[in-house]
Amino acid sequence: MIPSLVASSVAVPLGLDLAAVAVGAVFGALIAVRRDLDVTGTVGLAVTSGLGGGVLRDVLLNQVPVALTSSTYLPVALGVGVAMLVLHPHTARIDDLLDLFDAFALGLFAIVGASKALDAGLGPVAAAAVGVLAATAGGVACDVLSGQRPYIFGPGPIYGLAAAAGSAVYVAADRLSAGVAVAIVLSMVVTVGLRLLAVHRGLSTRTAAEVRLGRGRRGADTDPGPVPPPGP
């Protein structure tokens, strides 16, 4: 069963994995700049965001993280972090760049995570889950290290749902033998499109308290109100 799964899955090229690292590192560096971290913090968050998703992915797949065995991944993340120290003063609108790089990092890590999970012999649901975890782990680590609540826990524009949709699309395209190029393009369009649409069109999650209050208001529409106390 497992050999057939591996044989039928498409593998993403190495360049796509390194692109995910680079885009993730840019996002981490921009987060550090926005939160007024120093040089060490900026480079540190760049490395964390660039490598965090891949490290978690490989650990879940019971593999030694490729970031530790390859001579390429860490230098890419470090190089991007250092480059952003020079380039960020020339970026007029950091928030817009954050949204863009966040969306692309989300899509790239979801694709690579799902692909490597399929190659390892996992089923479609498990592979899609690994894609989501790989896509969101770097951002969670950045938030925790900078003292923020993890963005994925909301409330706010949909984030994890966009990664889940893109990961599921990649796995579905893979199972249908659509080919690696088609699977990547479809997944990226879904993930990036949903994420940017959420940011710019207000597709947001709500807090649990708001959900409860909403139910209470719906019930109040038909509630006759408190019963007056009996007279003397």
Side-chain angles (χ1 to χ4, degrees), residues 39-232:
V39 171
T40 302
T42 300
V43 176
L45 280 196
V47 173
T48 298
S49 183
L51 302 181
V55 169
L56 177 62
R57 172 200 68 213
D58 293 342
V59 169
L60 289 173
L61 298 178
N62 199 28
Q63 300 172 0
V64 178
V66 67
L68 302 179
T69 60
S70 171
S71 60
T72 306
Y73 287 73
L74 183 57
V76 167
L78 280 171
V80 169
V82 173
M84 289 307 298
L85 290 173
V86 177
L87 296 176
H88 82 79
H90 304 290
T91 58
R93 304 181 67 177
I94 287 181
D95 284 350
D96 289 343
L97 285 177
L98 271 174
D99 293 337
L100 186 63
F101 280 98
D102 178 30
F104 273 91
L106 205 63
L108 290 170
F109 275 113
I111 289 170
V112 177
S115 174
K116 290 198 173 185
L118 290 171
D119 289 342
L122 271 64
V125 175
V130 171
V132 175
L133 292 172
T136 57
V140 169
C142 282
D143 289 335
V144 171
L145 290 175
S146 58
Q148 305 289 321
R149 178 188 63 197
Y151 185 85
I152 191 174
F153 295 148
I158 59 172
Y159 183 72
L161 290 176
S167 187
V169 166
Y170 181 87
V171 171
D174 176 90
R175 296 299 88 184
L176 294 173
S177 301
V180 63
V182 173
I184 290 172
V185 170
L186 289 177
S187 181
M188 286 295 292
V189 168
V190 169
T191 308
V192 175
L194 278 177
R195 176 61 184 153
L196 293 180
L197 190 64
V199 170
H200 295 290
R201 297 297 180 183
L203 301 180
S204 300
T205 58
R206 298 192 297 168
T207 66
E210 287 175 329
V211 173
R212 289 199 303 271
L213 288 173
R215 289 176 180 171
R217 285 193 294 270
R218 288 194 293 273
D221 293 338
T222 57
D223 189 351
V227 178

